[in-house]
mmCIF file of all heavy atoms in Angstrom:
data_model
loop_
_atom_site.group_PDB
_atom_site.id
_atom_site.type_symbol
_atom_site.label_atom_id
_atom_site.label_comp_id
_atom_site.label_asym_id
_atom_site.label_seq_id
_atom_site.Cartn_x
_atom_site.Cartn_y
_atom_site.Cartn_z
ATOM 1 N N ARG A 22 -102.812 -57.729 -19.176
ATOM 2 C CA ARG A 22 -102.359 -58.839 -20.015
ATOM 3 C C ARG A 22 -101.159 -58.474 -20.884
ATOM 4 O O ARG A 22 -100.740 -59.271 -21.718
ATOM 5 C CB ARG A 22 -103.505 -59.311 -20.902
ATOM 6 C CG ARG A 22 -104.639 -59.885 -20.073
ATOM 7 C CD ARG A 22 -105.670 -60.551 -20.930
ATOM 8 N NE ARG A 22 -106.696 -61.129 -20.078
ATOM 9 C CZ ARG A 22 -107.609 -61.974 -20.498
ATOM 10 N NH1 ARG A 22 -107.626 -62.355 -21.767
ATOM 11 N NH2 ARG A 22 -108.507 -62.456 -19.676
ATOM 12 N N TYR A 24 -97.139 -57.294 -21.533
ATOM 13 C CA TYR A 24 -95.840 -57.434 -20.915
ATOM 14 C C TYR A 24 -95.223 -56.039 -20.854
ATOM 15 O O TYR A 24 -94.713 -55.530 -21.865
ATOM 16 C CB TYR A 24 -94.993 -58.391 -21.747
ATOM 17 C CG TYR A 24 -93.655 -58.692 -21.136
ATOM 18 C CD1 TYR A 24 -93.573 -59.164 -19.831
ATOM 19 C CD2 TYR A 24 -92.477 -58.510 -21.858
ATOM 20 C CE1 TYR A 24 -92.340 -59.444 -19.256
ATOM 21 C CE2 TYR A 24 -91.238 -58.800 -21.291
ATOM 22 C CZ TYR A 24 -91.187 -59.263 -19.994
ATOM 23 O OH TYR A 24 -89.958 -59.537 -19.428
ATOM 24 N N GLN A 65 -105.895 -55.230 -21.990
ATOM 25 C CA GLN A 65 -106.343 -56.442 -22.684
ATOM 26 C C GLN A 65 -105.206 -57.204 -23.377
ATOM 27 O O GLN A 65 -105.440 -58.241 -23.971
ATOM 28 C CB GLN A 65 -107.352 -56.078 -23.779
ATOM 29 C CG GLN A 65 -108.665 -55.571 -23.272
ATOM 30 C CD GLN A 65 -109.545 -55.102 -24.417
ATOM 31 O OE1 GLN A 65 -109.178 -55.188 -25.582
ATOM 32 N NE2 GLN A 65 -110.708 -54.606 -24.084
ATOM 33 N N ARG A 206 -128.000 -36.787 -30.737
ATOM 34 C CA ARG A 206 -128.507 -37.897 -29.931
ATOM 35 C C ARG A 206 -127.584 -39.101 -30.057
ATOM 36 O O ARG A 206 -127.285 -39.554 -31.149
ATOM 37 C CB ARG A 206 -129.927 -38.269 -30.359
ATOM 38 C CG ARG A 206 -130.589 -39.181 -29.359
ATOM 39 C CD ARG A 206 -132.085 -39.074 -29.372
ATOM 40 N NE ARG A 206 -132.662 -40.109 -28.528
ATOM 41 C CZ ARG A 206 -133.927 -40.462 -28.549
ATOM 42 N NH1 ARG A 206 -134.773 -39.866 -29.389
ATOM 43 N NH2 ARG A 206 -134.369 -41.404 -27.743
ATOM 44 N N THR A 210 -127.786 -47.448 -25.471
ATOM 45 C CA THR A 210 -128.536 -48.419 -24.683
ATOM 46 C C THR A 210 -128.519 -48.160 -23.185
ATOM 47 O O THR A 210 -129.483 -48.394 -22.514
ATOM 48 C CB THR A 210 -128.104 -49.866 -24.975
ATOM 49 O OG1 THR A 210 -128.308 -50.094 -26.357
ATOM 50 C CG2 THR A 210 -128.914 -50.876 -24.202
ATOM 51 N N ARG A 211 -127.430 -47.649 -22.652
ATOM 52 C CA ARG A 211 -127.525 -47.216 -21.256
ATOM 53 C C ARG A 211 -127.087 -45.758 -21.185
ATOM 54 O O ARG A 211 -126.476 -45.241 -22.110
ATOM 55 C CB ARG A 211 -126.730 -48.111 -20.319
ATOM 56 C CG ARG A 211 -125.256 -48.090 -20.532
ATOM 57 C CD ARG A 211 -124.537 -49.016 -19.555
ATOM 58 N NE ARG A 211 -123.157 -49.217 -19.999
ATOM 59 C CZ ARG A 211 -122.379 -50.187 -19.561
ATOM 60 N NH1 ARG A 211 -122.814 -51.055 -18.682
ATOM 61 N NH2 ARG A 211 -121.134 -50.302 -20.005
ATOM 62 N N ARG A 212 -127.399 -45.112 -20.072
ATOM 63 C CA ARG A 212 -127.265 -43.660 -20.014
ATOM 64 C C ARG A 212 -125.856 -43.176 -19.736
ATOM 65 O O ARG A 212 -125.584 -41.988 -19.850
ATOM 66 C CB ARG A 212 -128.198 -43.114 -18.931
ATOM 67 C CG ARG A 212 -129.629 -43.106 -19.374
ATOM 68 C CD ARG A 212 -130.481 -42.426 -18.338
ATOM 69 N NE ARG A 212 -131.862 -42.391 -18.781
ATOM 70 C CZ ARG A 212 -132.852 -41.956 -18.030
ATOM 71 N NH1 ARG A 212 -132.616 -41.515 -16.821
ATOM 72 N NH2 ARG A 212 -134.072 -41.957 -18.499
ATOM 73 N N LYS A 218 -124.121 -47.106 -30.342
ATOM 74 C CA LYS A 218 -124.574 -47.992 -31.410
ATOM 75 C C LYS A 218 -124.875 -47.147 -32.638
ATOM 76 O O LYS A 218 -124.677 -47.570 -33.776
ATOM 77 C CB LYS A 218 -125.834 -48.732 -30.987
ATOM 78 C CG LYS A 218 -125.609 -49.773 -29.905
ATOM 79 C CD LYS A 218 -126.934 -50.356 -29.494
ATOM 80 C CE LYS A 218 -126.751 -51.520 -28.524
ATOM 81 N NZ LYS A 218 -128.063 -52.032 -28.093
ATOM 82 N N PHE A 282 -120.842 -57.195 -32.147
ATOM 83 C CA PHE A 282 -121.396 -57.671 -30.871
ATOM 84 C C PHE A 282 -122.134 -56.576 -30.111
ATOM 85 O O PHE A 282 -122.702 -56.829 -29.070
ATOM 86 C CB PHE A 282 -120.334 -58.362 -30.011
ATOM 87 C CG PHE A 282 -119.136 -57.534 -29.674
ATOM 88 C CD1 PHE A 282 -119.215 -56.505 -28.760
ATOM 89 C CD2 PHE A 282 -117.911 -57.808 -30.280
ATOM 90 C CE1 PHE A 282 -118.106 -55.754 -28.447
ATOM 91 C CE2 PHE A 282 -116.795 -57.055 -29.974
ATOM 92 C CZ PHE A 282 -116.887 -56.018 -29.063
ATOM 93 N N ARG A 283 -122.090 -55.353 -30.625
ATOM 94 C CA ARG A 283 -122.848 -54.299 -29.950
ATOM 95 C C ARG A 283 -124.250 -54.122 -30.510
ATOM 96 O O ARG A 283 -125.146 -53.671 -29.819
ATOM 97 C CB ARG A 283 -122.113 -52.967 -30.037
ATOM 98 C CG ARG A 283 -120.903 -52.930 -29.171
ATOM 99 C CD ARG A 283 -120.318 -51.541 -29.029
ATOM 100 N NE ARG A 283 -118.970 -51.688 -28.521
ATOM 101 C CZ ARG A 283 -117.888 -51.294 -29.163
ATOM 102 N NH1 ARG A 283 -117.987 -50.668 -30.326
ATOM 103 N NH2 ARG A 283 -116.705 -51.514 -28.648
ATOM 104 N N SER A 284 -124.408 -54.395 -31.802
ATOM 105 C CA SER A 284 -125.721 -54.186 -32.394
ATOM 106 C C SER A 284 -125.770 -54.852 -33.762
ATOM 107 O O SER A 284 -124.882 -55.624 -34.122
ATOM 108 C CB SER A 284 -126.004 -52.685 -32.507
ATOM 109 O OG SER A 284 -127.355 -52.476 -32.863
ATOM 110 N N ARG A 287 -129.176 -53.809 -39.265
ATOM 111 C CA ARG A 287 -130.583 -53.428 -39.411
ATOM 112 C C ARG A 287 -131.001 -52.391 -38.378
ATOM 113 O O ARG A 287 -131.660 -51.409 -38.698
ATOM 114 C CB ARG A 287 -131.487 -54.666 -39.248
ATOM 115 C CG ARG A 287 -131.760 -55.425 -40.502
ATOM 116 C CD ARG A 287 -132.383 -56.783 -40.166
ATOM 117 N NE ARG A 287 -133.712 -56.651 -39.564
ATOM 118 C CZ ARG A 287 -134.841 -56.618 -40.270
ATOM 119 N NH1 ARG A 287 -134.807 -56.705 -41.582
ATOM 120 N NH2 ARG A 287 -135.998 -56.510 -39.668
ATOM 121 N N TYR A 288 -130.605 -52.650 -37.143
ATOM 122 C CA TYR A 288 -130.962 -51.710 -36.066
ATOM 123 C C TYR A 288 -130.308 -50.358 -36.322
ATOM 124 O O TYR A 288 -130.943 -49.310 -36.233
ATOM 125 C CB TYR A 288 -130.517 -52.271 -34.713
ATOM 126 C CG TYR A 288 -130.771 -51.318 -33.558
ATOM 127 C CD1 TYR A 288 -132.035 -51.202 -32.988
ATOM 128 C CD2 TYR A 288 -129.743 -50.525 -33.046
ATOM 129 C CE1 TYR A 288 -132.276 -50.328 -31.937
ATOM 130 C CE2 TYR A 288 -129.968 -49.645 -31.992
ATOM 131 C CZ TYR A 288 -131.229 -49.549 -31.445
ATOM 132 O OH TYR A 288 -131.455 -48.670 -30.413
ATOM 133 N N ARG A 291 -132.123 -48.525 -39.175
ATOM 134 C CA ARG A 291 -133.450 -48.039 -38.797
ATOM 135 C C ARG A 291 -133.357 -46.855 -37.844
ATOM 136 O O ARG A 291 -134.048 -45.852 -38.004
ATOM 137 C CB ARG A 291 -134.269 -49.149 -38.111
ATOM 138 C CG ARG A 291 -134.771 -50.207 -39.005
ATOM 139 C CD ARG A 291 -135.841 -49.707 -39.964
ATOM 140 N NE ARG A 291 -137.160 -49.631 -39.374
ATOM 141 C CZ ARG A 291 -138.033 -48.660 -39.629
ATOM 142 N NH1 ARG A 291 -137.715 -47.675 -40.420
ATOM 143 N NH2 ARG A 291 -139.225 -48.679 -39.082
ATOM 144 N N LYS A 295 -134.498 -43.017 -38.179
ATOM 145 C CA LYS A 295 -135.464 -42.430 -37.250
ATOM 146 C C LYS A 295 -134.904 -41.178 -36.579
ATOM 147 O O LYS A 295 -135.643 -40.228 -36.308
ATOM 148 C CB LYS A 295 -135.869 -43.467 -36.196
ATOM 149 C CG LYS A 295 -136.706 -44.585 -36.810
ATOM 150 C CD LYS A 295 -137.558 -45.262 -35.772
ATOM 151 C CE LYS A 295 -138.729 -45.953 -36.433
ATOM 152 N NZ LYS A 295 -139.914 -45.969 -35.597
ATOM 153 N N ARG B 130 -99.587 -66.680 -23.572
ATOM 154 C CA ARG B 130 -99.834 -66.552 -25.017
ATOM 155 C C ARG B 130 -98.949 -67.490 -25.826
ATOM 156 O O ARG B 130 -99.254 -67.797 -26.977
ATOM 157 C CB ARG B 130 -99.578 -65.102 -25.454
ATOM 158 C CG ARG B 130 -100.760 -64.184 -25.245
ATOM 159 C CD ARG B 130 -100.510 -62.840 -25.906
ATOM 160 N NE ARG B 130 -99.555 -62.042 -25.144
ATOM 161 C CZ ARG B 130 -99.906 -61.182 -24.186
ATOM 162 N NH1 ARG B 130 -101.171 -60.995 -23.906
ATOM 163 N NH2 ARG B 130 -98.995 -60.497 -23.524
ATOM 164 N N ASP B 280 -108.632 -61.565 -14.190
ATOM 165 C CA ASP B 280 -109.057 -60.223 -14.538
ATOM 166 C C ASP B 280 -110.507 -60.311 -15.017
ATOM 167 O O ASP B 280 -111.084 -61.397 -15.118
ATOM 168 C CB ASP B 280 -108.124 -59.556 -15.567
ATOM 169 C CG ASP B 280 -108.130 -60.222 -16.933
ATOM 170 O OD1 ASP B 280 -108.969 -61.119 -17.183
ATOM 171 O OD2 ASP B 280 -107.300 -59.843 -17.775
ATOM 172 N N ASP B 623 -139.323 -46.113 -26.201
ATOM 173 C CA ASP B 623 -139.044 -45.051 -27.164
ATOM 174 C C ASP B 623 -139.079 -45.638 -28.577
ATOM 175 O O ASP B 623 -138.221 -46.449 -28.937
ATOM 176 C CB ASP B 623 -137.668 -44.460 -26.849
ATOM 177 C CG ASP B 623 -137.359 -43.246 -27.715
ATOM 178 O OD1 ASP B 623 -137.901 -43.153 -28.850
ATOM 179 O OD2 ASP B 623 -136.577 -42.401 -27.264
ATOM 180 N N LEU B 624 -140.044 -45.244 -29.362
ATOM 181 C CA LEU B 624 -140.176 -45.844 -30.696
ATOM 182 C C LEU B 624 -139.202 -45.254 -31.705
ATOM 183 O O LEU B 624 -139.156 -45.692 -32.851
ATOM 184 C CB LEU B 624 -141.622 -45.720 -31.191
ATOM 185 C CG LEU B 624 -142.636 -46.543 -30.376
ATOM 186 C CD1 LEU B 624 -144.014 -46.466 -30.998
ATOM 187 C CD2 LEU B 624 -142.195 -47.999 -30.244
ATOM 188 N N THR B 626 -135.765 -45.046 -30.869
ATOM 189 C CA THR B 626 -134.536 -45.827 -30.677
ATOM 190 C C THR B 626 -134.820 -47.248 -30.201
ATOM 191 O O THR B 626 -133.891 -48.030 -30.061
ATOM 192 C CB THR B 626 -133.650 -45.161 -29.612
ATOM 193 O OG1 THR B 626 -134.392 -45.133 -28.371
ATOM 194 C CG2 THR B 626 -133.302 -43.726 -30.001
ATOM 195 N N GLU B 628 -135.471 -48.079 -27.375
ATOM 196 C CA GLU B 628 -134.916 -48.260 -26.032
ATOM 197 C C GLU B 628 -136.047 -48.268 -25.007
ATOM 198 O O GLU B 628 -137.010 -47.523 -25.132
ATOM 199 C CB GLU B 628 -133.933 -47.135 -25.705
ATOM 200 C CG GLU B 628 -132.635 -47.282 -26.471
ATOM 201 C CD GLU B 628 -131.722 -46.078 -26.290
ATOM 202 O OE1 GLU B 628 -132.191 -44.936 -26.425
ATOM 203 O OE2 GLU B 628 -130.542 -46.281 -26.029
ATOM 204 N N ARG B 630 -136.958 -47.998 -20.931
ATOM 205 C CA ARG B 630 -136.467 -47.518 -19.660
ATOM 206 C C ARG B 630 -137.482 -47.860 -18.583
ATOM 207 O O ARG B 630 -138.683 -47.741 -18.807
ATOM 208 C CB ARG B 630 -136.327 -46.006 -19.741
ATOM 209 C CG ARG B 630 -135.040 -45.534 -19.197
ATOM 210 C CD ARG B 630 -134.811 -44.091 -19.484
ATOM 211 N NE ARG B 630 -133.995 -43.832 -20.660
ATOM 212 C CZ ARG B 630 -132.808 -44.371 -20.909
ATOM 213 N NH1 ARG B 630 -132.288 -45.273 -20.092
ATOM 214 N NH2 ARG B 630 -132.131 -44.042 -21.973
ATOM 215 N N GLN B 680 -116.383 -57.896 -21.513
ATOM 216 C CA GLN B 680 -115.869 -56.677 -20.901
ATOM 217 C C GLN B 680 -117.065 -55.869 -20.433
ATOM 218 O O GLN B 680 -118.126 -55.925 -21.053
ATOM 219 C CB GLN B 680 -115.153 -55.799 -21.923
ATOM 220 C CG GLN B 680 -113.992 -56.392 -22.613
ATOM 221 C CD GLN B 680 -113.779 -55.642 -23.917
ATOM 222 O OE1 GLN B 680 -114.403 -55.940 -24.916
ATOM 223 N NE2 GLN B 680 -112.930 -54.636 -23.879
ATOM 224 N N MET B 681 -116.870 -55.070 -19.421
ATOM 225 C CA MET B 681 -118.005 -54.294 -18.931
ATOM 226 C C MET B 681 -118.405 -53.180 -19.892
ATOM 227 O O MET B 681 -119.500 -52.642 -19.794
ATOM 228 C CB MET B 681 -117.711 -53.769 -17.537
ATOM 229 C CG MET B 681 -117.604 -54.932 -16.565
ATOM 230 S SD MET B 681 -117.342 -54.444 -14.872
ATOM 231 C CE MET B 681 -119.000 -53.989 -14.422
ATOM 232 N N ASN B 683 -118.826 -53.697 -23.073
ATOM 233 C CA ASN B 683 -119.659 -54.293 -24.118
ATOM 234 C C ASN B 683 -120.725 -55.244 -23.607
ATOM 235 O O ASN B 683 -121.641 -55.596 -24.341
ATOM 236 C CB ASN B 683 -118.770 -55.021 -25.139
ATOM 237 C CG ASN B 683 -117.871 -54.052 -25.867
ATOM 238 O OD1 ASN B 683 -118.327 -52.992 -26.279
ATOM 239 N ND2 ASN B 683 -116.616 -54.378 -26.000
ATOM 240 N N MET B 686 -124.450 -53.812 -18.421
ATOM 241 C CA MET B 686 -125.254 -53.865 -17.204
ATOM 242 C C MET B 686 -125.723 -52.445 -16.924
ATOM 243 O O MET B 686 -125.037 -51.491 -17.257
ATOM 244 C CB MET B 686 -124.474 -54.447 -16.028
ATOM 245 C CG MET B 686 -123.719 -53.443 -15.197
ATOM 246 S SD MET B 686 -122.642 -54.190 -13.960
ATOM 247 C CE MET B 686 -123.829 -54.825 -12.786
ATOM 248 N N ASP B 691 -129.418 -45.553 -15.073
ATOM 249 C CA ASP B 691 -130.457 -46.270 -15.821
ATOM 250 C C ASP B 691 -131.554 -46.830 -14.927
ATOM 251 O O ASP B 691 -132.515 -47.392 -15.421
ATOM 252 C CB ASP B 691 -129.823 -47.441 -16.597
ATOM 253 C CG ASP B 691 -128.775 -46.952 -17.570
ATOM 254 O OD1 ASP B 691 -129.153 -46.293 -18.539
ATOM 255 O OD2 ASP B 691 -127.584 -47.208 -17.340
ATOM 256 N N GLU B 746 -132.650 -54.063 -30.131
ATOM 257 C CA GLU B 746 -132.672 -54.820 -31.378
ATOM 258 C C GLU B 746 -133.812 -55.849 -31.362
ATOM 259 O O GLU B 746 -134.504 -56.041 -32.366
ATOM 260 C CB GLU B 746 -131.322 -55.529 -31.598
ATOM 261 C CG GLU B 746 -130.152 -54.590 -31.921
ATOM 262 C CD GLU B 746 -129.555 -53.895 -30.698
ATOM 263 O OE1 GLU B 746 -129.998 -54.159 -29.563
ATOM 264 O OE2 GLU B 746 -128.642 -53.074 -30.889
ATOM 265 N N GLU B 750 -137.194 -55.830 -33.821
ATOM 266 C CA GLU B 750 -137.621 -56.963 -34.654
ATOM 267 C C GLU B 750 -139.051 -57.366 -34.296
ATOM 268 O O GLU B 750 -139.854 -57.680 -35.171
ATOM 269 C CB GLU B 750 -136.669 -58.148 -34.506
ATOM 270 C CG GLU B 750 -135.217 -57.871 -34.936
ATOM 271 C CD GLU B 750 -135.054 -57.566 -36.433
ATOM 272 O OE1 GLU B 750 -135.973 -57.874 -37.218
ATOM 273 O OE2 GLU B 750 -134.006 -56.993 -36.811
ATOM 274 N N GLU B 753 -141.407 -54.638 -35.688
ATOM 275 C CA GLU B 753 -141.475 -54.638 -37.145
ATOM 276 C C GLU B 753 -142.179 -55.890 -37.627
ATOM 277 O O GLU B 753 -142.874 -55.871 -38.638
ATOM 278 C CB GLU B 753 -140.075 -54.517 -37.743
ATOM 279 C CG GLU B 753 -139.367 -53.313 -37.164
ATOM 280 C CD GLU B 753 -138.711 -52.449 -38.202
ATOM 281 O OE1 GLU B 753 -138.094 -53.004 -39.116
ATOM 282 O OE2 GLU B 753 -138.830 -51.212 -38.087
#
Side-chain angles (χ1 to χ4, degrees):
Chain A
R22 296 189 178 192
Y24 184 54
Q65 292 174 2
R206 193 154 172 195
T210 301
R211 65 180 166 196
R212 284 186 179 174
K218 290 175 174 178
F282 58 73
R283 288 191 197 119
S284 190
R287 271 167 66 90
Y288 176 80
R291 287 292 279 142
K295 291 203 158 212
Chain B
R130 276 189 286 269
D280 66 9
D623 186 333
L624 294 185
T626 61
E628 287 173 312
R630 226 170 264 309
Q680 300 158 276
M681 294 183 79
N683 295 316
M686 90 188 289
D691 300 292
E746 290 79 3
E750 299 295 343
E753 306 228 317

